[in-house]
Amino acid sequence: MSVEAIRSTLTMLERMHKSLLELAYKKTEIIKAGDIQALDQLLKDEQAHVAAIDKLEQQRQKQVTDYFEAKGLASTDNRTVADVIEAAEQQADKEALSAVRDRLLLIINNLRQQNDLNQKLVFQSLQIVNLTLDSLRPRTEQINYSSNEVRGTNTVVKKSYFDSQA
């Protein structure tokens, strides 16, 4: 296996992560707008991207393992691109792999930050929904002890959103 094949796979990973980052930016706008249907479609697109990235990552891991086997080096389970950069014989290969790896790491870091923001926005939206539901829920207010509580025969009043007596 050559360094060029590994660099090519890293470049494809970079493109897929960049596309996933663009989807994360779109997701932020969709969450702000509250468009559930658009969010559902975007989640399907995200899942397709994640599946493709997973496949490329498996391919990259196999290429790295094959690279070290071709060089006659002992195979360990967790060989990384950094190991390949260290083991590469040509300086041009080292620089090309380092450049692609650095760009990919930058995109992944940006993607992580955007996903954190989206997660916070969704959490805040859920808090607003829960607050609204709590304000609509009927409450029983008993300020003083009643005779049932004094005798210990207090029955729990069932809370419901639907008032059947109305």
Side-chain angles (χ1 to χ4, degrees):
M1 188 57 57
S2 69
V3 171
E4 182 57 32
I6 297 169
R7 190 176 67 82
S8 174
T9 302
L10 285 176
T11 302
M12 287 189 283
L13 277 168
E14 179 188 4
R15 278 191 219 130
M16 290 303 297
H17 278 89
K18 194 178 284 186
S19 178
L20 193 59
L21 179 60
E22 290 171 9
L23 286 178
Y25 288 134
K26 285 181 187 175
K27 185 193 276 183
T28 303
E29 297 306 316
I30 289 171
I31 291 170
K32 286 179 184 175
D35 188 355
I36 300 298
Q37 289 179 342
L39 184 61
D40 187 45
Q41 181 59 44
L42 189 116
L43 290 175
K44 290 176 185 171
D45 292 345
E46 260 187 1
Q47 288 174 350
H49 276 72
V50 169
I53 287 171
D54 188 47
K55 214 176 233 183
L56 284 171
E57 179 59 22
Q58 289 175 1
Q59 180 181 338
R60 184 204 58 82
Q61 288 175 353
K62 182 176 181 343
Q63 289 172 336
V64 169
T65 301
D66 291 348
Y67 176 79
F68 283 107
E69 286 178 3
K71 288 187 133 249
L73 297 174
S75 177
T76 60
D77 288 340
N78 295 325
R79 292 281 188 171
T80 64
V81 173
D83 296 332
V84 175
I85 292 170
E86 244 179 61
E89 295 168 0
Q90 302 289 326
Q91 186 64 27
D93 289 340
K94 289 181 179 189
E95 290 173 3
L97 278 175
S98 292
V100 173
R101 184 192 65 173
D102 292 346
R103 288 193 311 260
L104 181 59
L105 289 175
L106 181 66
I107 291 170
I108 289 172
N109 192 33
N110 290 340
L111 182 60
R112 183 176 296 131
Q113 290 174 351
Q114 196 63 35
N115 281 338
D116 286 345
L117 174 65
N118 288 341
Q119 186 177 11
K120 288 175 185 171
L121 288 172
V122 168
F123 183 72
Q124 287 176 351
S125 295
L126 286 175
Q127 283 181 325
I128 291 171
V129 167
N130 284 333
L131 187 66
T132 304
L133 285 174
D134 284 345
S135 69
L136 295 175
R137 189 174 296 155
R139 295 174 189 234
T140 57
E141 294 185 26
Q142 293 182 350
I143 297 173
N144 298 327
Y145 288 108
S146 68
S147 61
N148 288 339
E149 290 173 342
V150 172
R151 286 187 230 144
T153 59
N154 189 15
T155 59
V156 177
V157 178
K158 194 173 184 180
K159 293 181 178 181
S160 171
Y161 293 106
F162 179 72
D163 186 8
S164 63
Q165 295 177 355

